[in-house]
Amino acid sequence: MFRSASTILYVDDPTTSARFYHALLGVAPVRQSPGFVLFPLPGGANLGLWQRNAVTPPGRDGEITLTTDDPDTLHALWAERGYRIIQPPTDMGFGRNVLITDPDGHRLRAFRPSGQ
């Protein structure tokens, strides 16, 4: 029924956010217009950045989760890049994770699932 999945984040400045996600994900956008940027994600999903003042109805929040083998190494890299870390590597019920925010305050959680 569905061909792909996307997470759309409402952002103040798609250009600023696109620079952040380009560096974070290591991939270039596949679509870009003045008010919208789309990045491909592993597994066939997509990440869209939509200019907040163009969204109808307005919205604000969200979280992206990315599975990783080594959240501690990501934490060190993200700290070096100056990203805002709101939770350093922490063991939780679902696995070890690290949590940061992007320039608009959206939460990004990288985690290694429990048992891996």
Side-chain angles (χ1 to χ4, degrees), residues 61-87:
D61 296 322
E63 180 175 303
I64 296 172
T65 59
L66 305 167
T67 304
T68 182
D69 292 329
D70 193 351
D72 295 278
T73 297
L74 275 178
H75 172 255
L77 175 64
W78 291 350
E80 181 180 296
R81 290 183 178 176
Y83 297 161
R84 182 171 176 249
I85 297 166
I86 59 175
Q87 184 179 52

PDB file of all heavy atoms in Angstrom, residues 61-87:
ATOM      1  N   ASP A  61       6.356  20.089  16.888  1.00  0.00           N
ATOM      2  CA  ASP A  61       7.216  19.093  17.515  1.00  0.00           C
ATOM      3  C   ASP A  61       7.487  17.860  16.673  1.00  0.00           C
ATOM      4  O   ASP A  61       6.849  17.632  15.659  1.00  0.00           O
ATOM      5  CB  ASP A  61       6.603  18.646  18.847  1.00  0.00           C
ATOM      6  CG  ASP A  61       6.544  19.784  19.843  1.00  0.00           C
ATOM      7  OD1 ASP A  61       7.492  20.591  19.888  1.00  0.00           O
ATOM      8  OD2 ASP A  61       5.553  19.874  20.570  1.00  0.00           O
ATOM      9  N   GLY A  62       8.388  17.034  17.171  1.00  0.00           N
ATOM     10  CA  GLY A  62       8.684  15.752  16.562  1.00  0.00           C
ATOM     11  C   GLY A  62      10.001  15.206  17.047  1.00  0.00           C
ATOM     12  O   GLY A  62      10.760  15.891  17.722  1.00  0.00           O
ATOM     13  N   GLU A  63      10.267  13.949  16.740  1.00  0.00           N
ATOM     14  CA  GLU A  63      11.533  13.307  17.069  1.00  0.00           C
ATOM     15  C   GLU A  63      11.864  12.306  15.986  1.00  0.00           C
ATOM     16  O   GLU A  63      10.987  11.586  15.509  1.00  0.00           O
ATOM     17  CB  GLU A  63      11.443  12.604  18.421  1.00  0.00           C
ATOM     18  CG  GLU A  63      12.710  11.914  18.823  1.00  0.00           C
ATOM     19  CD  GLU A  63      12.638  11.320  20.211  1.00  0.00           C
ATOM     20  OE1 GLU A  63      12.368  12.077  21.163  1.00  0.00           O
ATOM     21  OE2 GLU A  63      12.851  10.097  20.323  1.00  0.00           O
ATOM     22  N   ILE A  64      13.110  12.275  15.637  1.00  0.00           N
ATOM     23  CA  ILE A  64      13.598  11.285  14.685  1.00  0.00           C
ATOM     24  C   ILE A  64      14.470  10.323  15.467  1.00  0.00           C
ATOM     25  O   ILE A  64      15.281  10.745  16.294  1.00  0.00           O
ATOM     26  CB  ILE A  64      14.423  11.945  13.574  1.00  0.00           C
ATOM     27  CG1 ILE A  64      13.548  12.876  12.752  1.00  0.00           C
ATOM     28  CG2 ILE A  64      15.070  10.890  12.684  1.00  0.00           C
ATOM     29  CD1 ILE A  64      14.334  13.708  11.774  1.00  0.00           C
ATOM     30  N   THR A  65      14.309   9.041  15.214  1.00  0.00           N
ATOM     31  CA  THR A  65      15.184   8.056  15.837  1.00  0.00           C
ATOM     32  C   THR A  65      15.982   7.352  14.744  1.00  0.00           C
ATOM     33  O   THR A  65      15.438   6.977  13.713  1.00  0.00           O
ATOM     34  CB  THR A  65      14.400   7.029  16.672  1.00  0.00           C
ATOM     35  OG1 THR A  65      13.472   6.351  15.834  1.00  0.00           O
ATOM     36  CG2 THR A  65      13.682   7.707  17.819  1.00  0.00           C
ATOM     37  N   LEU A  66      17.264   7.207  14.997  1.00  0.00           N
ATOM     38  CA  LEU A  66      18.169   6.554  14.068  1.00  0.00           C
ATOM     39  C   LEU A  66      18.877   5.429  14.810  1.00  0.00           C
ATOM     40  O   LEU A  66      19.415   5.639  15.894  1.00  0.00           O
ATOM     41  CB  LEU A  66      19.212   7.552  13.549  1.00  0.00           C
ATOM     42  CG  LEU A  66      18.654   8.819  12.899  1.00  0.00           C
ATOM     43  CD1 LEU A  66      19.763   9.850  12.725  1.00  0.00           C
ATOM     44  CD2 LEU A  66      18.016   8.485  11.569  1.00  0.00           C
ATOM     45  N   THR A  67      18.871   4.237  14.242  1.00  0.00           N
ATOM     46  CA  THR A  67      19.558   3.107  14.854  1.00  0.00           C
ATOM     47  C   THR A  67      21.037   3.175  14.507  1.00  0.00           C
ATOM     48  O   THR A  67      21.396   3.491  13.375  1.00  0.00           O
ATOM     49  CB  THR A  67      18.964   1.781  14.343  1.00  0.00           C
ATOM     50  OG1 THR A  67      17.564   1.777  14.590  1.00  0.00           O
ATOM     51  CG2 THR A  67      19.593   0.590  15.035  1.00  0.00           C
ATOM     52  N   THR A  68      21.892   2.909  15.493  1.00  0.00           N
ATOM     53  CA  THR A  68      23.338   2.945  15.292  1.00  0.00           C
ATOM     54  C   THR A  68      23.993   1.824  16.081  1.00  0.00           C
ATOM     55  O   THR A  68      23.416   1.306  17.032  1.00  0.00           O
ATOM     56  CB  THR A  68      23.921   4.310  15.730  1.00  0.00           C
ATOM     57  OG1 THR A  68      25.318   4.332  15.477  1.00  0.00           O
ATOM     58  CG2 THR A  68      23.674   4.583  17.204  1.00  0.00           C
ATOM     59  N   ASP A  69      25.208   1.454  15.692  1.00  0.00           N
ATOM     60  CA  ASP A  69      25.957   0.450  16.433  1.00  0.00           C
ATOM     61  C   ASP A  69      26.717   1.068  17.599  1.00  0.00           C
ATOM     62  O   ASP A  69      27.103   0.359  18.527  1.00  0.00           O
ATOM     63  CB  ASP A  69      26.954  -0.272  15.520  1.00  0.00           C
ATOM     64  CG  ASP A  69      26.264  -1.147  14.491  1.00  0.00           C
ATOM     65  OD1 ASP A  69      25.168  -1.667  14.786  1.00  0.00           O
ATOM     66  OD2 ASP A  69      26.815  -1.305  13.385  1.00  0.00           O
ATOM     67  N   ASP A  70      26.980   2.379  17.546  1.00  0.00           N
ATOM     68  CA  ASP A  70      27.867   2.986  18.535  1.00  0.00           C
ATOM     69  C   ASP A  70      27.434   4.401  18.924  1.00  0.00           C
ATOM     70  O   ASP A  70      27.983   5.384  18.424  1.00  0.00           O
ATOM     71  CB  ASP A  70      29.295   2.989  17.986  1.00  0.00           C
ATOM     72  CG  ASP A  70      30.324   3.312  19.035  1.00  0.00           C
ATOM     73  OD1 ASP A  70      29.961   3.699  20.165  1.00  0.00           O
ATOM     74  OD2 ASP A  70      31.520   3.175  18.720  1.00  0.00           O
ATOM     75  N   PRO A  71      26.457   4.537  19.822  1.00  0.00           N
ATOM     76  CA  PRO A  71      26.014   5.867  20.234  1.00  0.00           C
ATOM     77  C   PRO A  71      27.110   6.681  20.935  1.00  0.00           C
ATOM     78  O   PRO A  71      27.105   7.905  20.869  1.00  0.00           O
ATOM     79  CB  PRO A  71      24.838   5.603  21.173  1.00  0.00           C
ATOM     80  CG  PRO A  71      24.824   4.157  21.455  1.00  0.00           C
ATOM     81  CD  PRO A  71      25.677   3.479  20.445  1.00  0.00           C
ATOM     82  N   ASP A  72      28.068   6.011  21.557  1.00  0.00           N
ATOM     83  CA  ASP A  72      29.141   6.739  22.239  1.00  0.00           C
ATOM     84  C   ASP A  72      30.049   7.468  21.249  1.00  0.00           C
ATOM     85  O   ASP A  72      30.433   8.621  21.469  1.00  0.00           O
ATOM     86  CB  ASP A  72      29.952   5.786  23.122  1.00  0.00           C
ATOM     87  CG  ASP A  72      29.110   5.220  24.254  1.00  0.00           C
ATOM     88  OD1 ASP A  72      28.959   5.926  25.266  1.00  0.00           O
ATOM     89  OD2 ASP A  72      28.582   4.105  24.114  1.00  0.00           O
ATOM     90  N   THR A  73      30.368   6.812  20.138  1.00  0.00           N
ATOM     91  CA  THR A  73      31.176   7.458  19.110  1.00  0.00           C
ATOM     92  C   THR A  73      30.405   8.616  18.482  1.00  0.00           C
ATOM     93  O   THR A  73      30.972   9.683  18.226  1.00  0.00           O
ATOM     94  CB  THR A  73      31.602   6.437  18.034  1.00  0.00           C
ATOM     95  OG1 THR A  73      32.423   5.443  18.663  1.00  0.00           O
ATOM     96  CG2 THR A  73      32.374   7.099  16.914  1.00  0.00           C
ATOM     97  N   LEU A  74      29.114   8.420  18.243  1.00  0.00           N
ATOM     98  CA  LEU A  74      28.299   9.523  17.714  1.00  0.00           C
ATOM     99  C   LEU A  74      28.273  10.698  18.683  1.00  0.00           C
ATOM    100  O   LEU A  74      28.374  11.853  18.263  1.00  0.00           O
ATOM    101  CB  LEU A  74      26.870   9.048  17.444  1.00  0.00           C
ATOM    102  CG  LEU A  74      26.634   8.388  16.111  1.00  0.00           C
ATOM    103  CD1 LEU A  74      25.176   7.935  16.004  1.00  0.00           C
ATOM    104  CD2 LEU A  74      26.974   9.308  14.971  1.00  0.00           C
ATOM    105  N   HIS A  75      28.147  10.420  19.963  1.00  0.00           N
ATOM    106  CA  HIS A  75      28.150  11.481  20.961  1.00  0.00           C
ATOM    107  C   HIS A  75      29.433  12.311  20.856  1.00  0.00           C
ATOM    108  O   HIS A  75      29.396  13.539  20.848  1.00  0.00           O
ATOM    109  CB  HIS A  75      28.014  10.884  22.364  1.00  0.00           C
ATOM    110  CG  HIS A  75      28.194  11.882  23.445  1.00  0.00           C
ATOM    111  ND1 HIS A  75      29.346  11.945  24.192  1.00  0.00           N
ATOM    112  CD2 HIS A  75      27.388  12.872  23.895  1.00  0.00           C
ATOM    113  CE1 HIS A  75      29.233  12.929  25.066  1.00  0.00           C
ATOM    114  NE2 HIS A  75      28.059  13.501  24.913  1.00  0.00           N
ATOM    115  N   ALA A  76      30.578  11.641  20.758  1.00  0.00           N
ATOM    116  CA  ALA A  76      31.859  12.345  20.653  1.00  0.00           C
ATOM    117  C   ALA A  76      31.904  13.200  19.385  1.00  0.00           C
ATOM    118  O   ALA A  76      32.323  14.367  19.422  1.00  0.00           O
ATOM    119  CB  ALA A  76      33.015  11.352  20.673  1.00  0.00           C
ATOM    120  N   LEU A  77      31.452  12.651  18.271  1.00  0.00           N
ATOM    121  CA  LEU A  77      31.432  13.391  17.005  1.00  0.00           C
ATOM    122  C   LEU A  77      30.499  14.592  17.095  1.00  0.00           C
ATOM    123  O   LEU A  77      30.851  15.704  16.690  1.00  0.00           O
ATOM    124  CB  LEU A  77      30.997  12.469  15.862  1.00  0.00           C
ATOM    125  CG  LEU A  77      30.807  13.129  14.500  1.00  0.00           C
ATOM    126  CD1 LEU A  77      32.130  13.680  13.979  1.00  0.00           C
ATOM    127  CD2 LEU A  77      30.197  12.137  13.525  1.00  0.00           C
ATOM    128  N   TRP A  78      29.304  14.372  17.613  1.00  0.00           N
ATOM    129  CA  TRP A  78      28.327  15.454  17.700  1.00  0.00           C
ATOM    130  C   TRP A  78      28.780  16.541  18.670  1.00  0.00           C
ATOM    131  O   TRP A  78      28.569  17.725  18.422  1.00  0.00           O
ATOM    132  CB  TRP A  78      26.961  14.905  18.086  1.00  0.00           C
ATOM    133  CG  TRP A  78      26.323  14.080  16.996  1.00  0.00           C
ATOM    134  CD1 TRP A  78      26.741  13.959  15.701  1.00  0.00           C
ATOM    135  CD2 TRP A  78      25.170  13.260  17.101  1.00  0.00           C
ATOM    136  NE1 TRP A  78      25.916  13.126  15.004  1.00  0.00           N
ATOM    137  CE2 TRP A  78      24.937  12.675  15.844  1.00  0.00           C
ATOM    138  CE3 TRP A  78      24.311  12.955  18.153  1.00  0.00           C
ATOM    139  CZ2 TRP A  78      23.870  11.832  15.594  1.00  0.00           C
ATOM    140  CZ3 TRP A  78      23.242  12.094  17.900  1.00  0.00           C
ATOM    141  CH2 TRP A  78      23.030  11.547  16.637  1.00  0.00           C
ATOM    142  N   ALA A  79      29.428  16.154  19.769  1.00  0.00           N
ATOM    143  CA  ALA A  79      29.961  17.145  20.707  1.00  0.00           C
ATOM    144  C   ALA A  79      31.052  17.969  20.026  1.00  0.00           C
ATOM    145  O   ALA A  79      31.102  19.198  20.168  1.00  0.00           O
ATOM    146  CB  ALA A  79      30.501  16.459  21.957  1.00  0.00           C
ATOM    147  N   GLU A  80      31.906  17.305  19.258  1.00  0.00           N
ATOM    148  CA  GLU A  80      32.975  17.992  18.528  1.00  0.00           C
ATOM    149  C   GLU A  80      32.406  19.000  17.529  1.00  0.00           C
ATOM    150  O   GLU A  80      32.970  20.074  17.338  1.00  0.00           O
ATOM    151  CB  GLU A  80      33.828  16.951  17.805  1.00  0.00           C
ATOM    152  CG  GLU A  80      35.001  17.510  17.031  1.00  0.00           C
ATOM    153  CD  GLU A  80      35.779  16.401  16.350  1.00  0.00           C
ATOM    154  OE1 GLU A  80      36.347  15.558  17.075  1.00  0.00           O
ATOM    155  OE2 GLU A  80      35.807  16.379  15.103  1.00  0.00           O
ATOM    156  N   ARG A  81      31.291  18.662  16.914  1.00  0.00           N
ATOM    157  CA  ARG A  81      30.650  19.565  15.946  1.00  0.00           C
ATOM    158  C   ARG A  81      29.850  20.676  16.610  1.00  0.00           C
ATOM    159  O   ARG A  81      29.338  21.559  15.942  1.00  0.00           O
ATOM    160  CB  ARG A  81      29.726  18.770  15.020  1.00  0.00           C
ATOM    161  CG  ARG A  81      30.470  17.869  14.068  1.00  0.00           C
ATOM    162  CD  ARG A  81      29.527  17.159  13.142  1.00  0.00           C
ATOM    163  NE  ARG A  81      30.249  16.330  12.188  1.00  0.00           N
ATOM    164  CZ  ARG A  81      29.663  15.539  11.317  1.00  0.00           C
ATOM    165  NH1 ARG A  81      28.336  15.456  11.260  1.00  0.00           N
ATOM    166  NH2 ARG A  81      30.382  14.818  10.483  1.00  0.00           N
ATOM    167  N   GLY A  82      29.710  20.610  17.922  1.00  0.00           N
ATOM    168  CA  GLY A  82      29.009  21.667  18.646  1.00  0.00           C
ATOM    169  C   GLY A  82      27.498  21.516  18.657  1.00  0.00           C
ATOM    170  O   GLY A  82      26.785  22.473  18.969  1.00  0.00           O
ATOM    171  N   TYR A  83      26.980  20.322  18.354  1.00  0.00           N
ATOM    172  CA  TYR A  83      25.535  20.112  18.385  1.00  0.00           C
ATOM    173  C   TYR A  83      25.047  20.168  19.833  1.00  0.00           C
ATOM    174  O   TYR A  83      25.776  19.800  20.755  1.00  0.00           O
ATOM    175  CB  TYR A  83      25.154  18.772  17.766  1.00  0.00           C
ATOM    176  CG  TYR A  83      25.506  18.631  16.296  1.00  0.00           C
ATOM    177  CD1 TYR A  83      25.586  17.386  15.724  1.00  0.00           C
ATOM    178  CD2 TYR A  83      25.745  19.740  15.487  1.00  0.00           C
ATOM    179  CE1 TYR A  83      25.902  17.235  14.375  1.00  0.00           C
ATOM    180  CE2 TYR A  83      26.057  19.593  14.147  1.00  0.00           C
ATOM    181  CZ  TYR A  83      26.134  18.345  13.597  1.00  0.00           C
ATOM    182  OH  TYR A  83      26.442  18.193  12.275  1.00  0.00           O
ATOM    183  N   ARG A  84      23.830  20.605  20.023  1.00  0.00           N
ATOM    184  CA  ARG A  84      23.256  20.717  21.369  1.00  0.00           C
ATOM    185  C   ARG A  84      22.838  19.324  21.857  1.00  0.00           C
ATOM    186  O   ARG A  84      21.865  18.745  21.390  1.00  0.00           O
ATOM    187  CB  ARG A  84      22.052  21.653  21.357  1.00  0.00           C
ATOM    188  CG  ARG A  84      21.473  21.833  22.746  1.00  0.00           C
ATOM    189  CD  ARG A  84      20.424  22.927  22.769  1.00  0.00           C
ATOM    190  NE  ARG A  84      19.847  22.969  24.091  1.00  0.00           N
ATOM    191  CZ  ARG A  84      18.599  22.611  24.363  1.00  0.00           C
ATOM    192  NH1 ARG A  84      17.780  22.239  23.394  1.00  0.00           N
ATOM    193  NH2 ARG A  84      18.151  22.664  25.593  1.00  0.00           N
ATOM    194  N   ILE A  85      23.585  18.804  22.801  1.00  0.00           N
ATOM    195  CA  ILE A  85      23.324  17.475  23.360  1.00  0.00           C
ATOM    196  C   ILE A  85      22.436  17.653  24.578  1.00  0.00           C
ATOM    197  O   ILE A  85      22.798  18.349  25.519  1.00  0.00           O
ATOM    198  CB  ILE A  85      24.632  16.766  23.719  1.00  0.00           C
ATOM    199  CG1 ILE A  85      25.449  16.554  22.444  1.00  0.00           C
ATOM    200  CG2 ILE A  85      24.352  15.443  24.435  1.00  0.00           C
ATOM    201  CD1 ILE A  85      26.876  16.169  22.657  1.00  0.00           C
ATOM    202  N   ILE A  86      21.249  17.031  24.547  1.00  0.00           N
ATOM    203  CA  ILE A  86      20.351  17.149  25.693  1.00  0.00           C
ATOM    204  C   ILE A  86      20.326  15.879  26.538  1.00  0.00           C
ATOM    205  O   ILE A  86      19.801  15.897  27.633  1.00  0.00           O
ATOM    206  CB  ILE A  86      18.928  17.594  25.274  1.00  0.00           C
ATOM    207  CG1 ILE A  86      18.285  16.637  24.306  1.00  0.00           C
ATOM    208  CG2 ILE A  86      18.970  18.988  24.692  1.00  0.00           C
ATOM    209  CD1 ILE A  86      16.854  16.986  23.967  1.00  0.00           C
ATOM    210  N   GLN A  87      20.922  14.800  26.009  1.00  0.00           N
ATOM    211  CA  GLN A  87      21.106  13.588  26.811  1.00  0.00           C
ATOM    212  C   GLN A  87      22.361  12.879  26.304  1.00  0.00           C
ATOM    213  O   GLN A  87      22.387  12.394  25.184  1.00  0.00           O
ATOM    214  CB  GLN A  87      19.901  12.662  26.699  1.00  0.00           C
ATOM    215  CG  GLN A  87      20.002  11.435  27.587  1.00  0.00           C
ATOM    216  CD  GLN A  87      18.781  10.556  27.464  1.00  0.00           C
ATOM    217  OE1 GLN A  87      18.381  10.183  26.373  1.00  0.00           O
ATOM    218  NE2 GLN A  87      18.185  10.241  28.590  1.00  0.00           N
TER     219      GLN A  87
END
